[in-house]
Amino acid sequence: MEKVLLIDDDIELTTLLKEYLVEEGFDVATADDGRTAIGLATSNAVDIVVLDIMMPQMNGIELLQRIRRSSTVPVLMLTAKGDDADRIAGLNLGADDYVSKPCSPGELAARLRAILRRVGRIGGGVVADVIEAGKLTMFPGSRAAQWGGKPLELTGTEFSLLEVLARNVGQLVSKQDISRQAFGRSLAPFDRRIDVHISSVRQKLGTREDGHSWIQSVRGQGYQLLHDRE
């Protein structure tokens, strides 16, 4: 049974969502402020966190920053309708997805299952899935990665993007496909988020012997993770 942590100061909404999710087979814990929630969210006792951005004492963006300092637990944000700034900030900090409030319990449950499937946590425990692409080894279940046998520190967003490229190593992947596979949604026009995160991943991987990046770009088309031999 997957354990969900609901962090929201709207007690009425939290109660409604909890009742629905329990009926859907989830184990649900709740917290109504950031300071109370931080210990639960980073304790490795939950499989996924639902985080409201508008929180008392510690807002959702600050709480997400603190969670990401010590945990890779998936995080689904609850954001105000049309608040693109908070969504972008949250995704850049490693949130896995967002849902606009007000949201239906059914939509929330579906989004939670989609994220859990993507990170290999659904069905109880962590799925023993390993991706090997040359010097890169990725463990989607634990959201851990190694480069040349050494730990590779990635944010949640960076991990999702690199996982798509690793599963398609040696092949050009369009930015639209990267967005759909990594985040489950189409890429919006003029959205440069993927480019920014790919740039960060490139720096962490370093360069090849020929001085070029391990991640090649084709202008206007997409990105490709190279094999060792290429």
Side-chain angles (χ1 to χ4, degrees):
M1 184 180 291
E2 293 73 38
K3 183 146 189 180
V4 179
L5 174 61
L6 292 177
I7 307 173
D8 196 322
D9 63 323
D10 186 337
I11 304 302
E12 184 177 348
L13 175 62
T14 300
T15 300
L16 172 65
L17 294 177
K18 179 177 179 178
E19 289 177 353
Y20 184 90
L21 292 176
V22 167
E23 290 180 358
E24 288 291 304
F26 292 96
D27 182 9
V28 182
T30 63
D32 58 12
D33 69 86
R35 298 190 187 283
T36 301
I38 187 64
L40 292 171
T42 59
S43 66
N44 295 321
V46 297
D47 294 301
I48 191 166
V49 173
V50 178
L51 172 60
D52 182 28
I53 293 298
M54 300 300 293
M55 295 284 296
Q57 299 182 43
M58 182 189 303
N59 67 39
I61 295 297
E62 183 182 354
L63 178 55
L64 178 58
Q65 287 180 305
R66 294 186 60 175
I67 290 173
R68 282 293 172 254
R69 289 173 192 166
S70 59
S71 174
T72 59
V73 64
V75 176
L76 174 67
M77 301 182 301
L78 295 179
T79 66
K81 188 176 181 65
D83 196 341
D84 293 335
D86 279 343
R87 293 175 186 172
I88 293 172
L91 291 170
N92 284 338
L93 288 171
D96 293 82
D97 202 352
Y98 64 82
V99 172
S100 298
K101 296 175 70 174
C103 66
S104 71
E107 179 186 6
L108 180 62
R111 291 290 186 92
L112 290 175
R113 289 195 176 97
I115 295 172
L116 290 167
R117 280 195 299 270
R118 198 160 68 229
V119 302
R121 290 174 180 259
I122 201 160
V126 174
V127 175
D129 181 18
V130 179
I131 304 167
E132 294 185 351
K135 297 174 64 176
L136 176 66
T137 305
M138 304 188 77
F139 307 90
S142 59
R143 305 286 278 179
Q146 296 177 354
W147 182 251
K150 298 180 180 180
L152 178 63
E153 298 298 328
L154 300 168
T155 66
T157 300
E158 291 169 355
F159 188 98
S160 296
L161 294 175
L162 187 55
E163 180 185 353
V164 174
L165 296 181
R167 290 187 184 276
N168 297 276
V169 63
Q171 302 177 46
L172 178 66
V173 186
S174 72
K175 289 199 289 185
Q176 192 64 260
D177 284 343
I178 292 173
S179 182
R180 288 173 180 145
Q181 293 177 42
F183 309 121
R185 59 166 46 87
S186 297
L187 188 68
F190 311 111
D191 189 340
R192 301 280 298 175
R193 211 164 12 104
I194 288 177
D195 302 310
V196 172
H197 289 299
I198 290 292
S199 177
S200 177
V201 174
R202 280 173 164 165
Q203 293 180 22
K204 294 179 179 182
L205 298 184
T207 57
R208 293 153 48 87
E209 291 184 2
D210 61 8
H212 292 96
S213 172
W214 285 97
I215 300 177
Q216 296 293 302
S217 61
V218 177
R219 187 174 180 84
Q221 295 188 45
Y223 292 99
Q224 174 185 5
L225 176 66
L226 298 181
H227 284 291
D228 286 351
R229 61 181 181 273
E230 293 179 295

